[in-house]
Amino acid sequence: MPRPNHFRDVIRIGLVQVGSYYDGRGRDRHTAACTAPQCGFSADYRNRSAAELAARTHQCTA
C-alpha cells in the first residue's frame, strides 16, 4: 500500500494551493491543486517555481 503524501510549506495563491512533499524515492516534489469545486486541476512539478507559476496562471473553468 502506498504511503500518503505529507505536504509541507503549503501556500495559497488565489484558489490554488501549492505544497511540497517527498515522493517514494526521497525526491523533493511540488504540487499545485485548485480548490474550487468541479475544477479538477492538479499537477506535480520538479521545482517549486514551476508549481507557483502554474498557480498564478491557472484560469479556473469552474
Side-chain angles (χ1 to χ4, degrees), residues 1-25:
M1 185 164 154
R3 199 177 74 190
N5 294 332
H6 295 284
F7 292 98
R8 58 185 166 73
D9 298 330
V10 178
I11 63 168
R12 188 176 186 105
I13 300 173
L15 291 174
V16 181
Q17 285 187 335
V18 176
S20 300
Y21 69 98
Y22 293 109
D23 67 359
R25 297 183 176 185

Side-chain angles (χ1 to χ4, degrees), residues 12-44:
R12 188 176 186 105
I13 300 173
L15 291 174
V16 181
Q17 285 187 335
V18 176
S20 300
Y21 69 98
Y22 293 109
D23 67 359
R25 297 183 176 185
R27 295 177 294 203
D28 201 21
R29 297 292 181 184
H30 310 279
T31 299
C34 185
T35 59
Q38 303 295 321
C39 179
F41 167 77
S42 67
D44 290 333

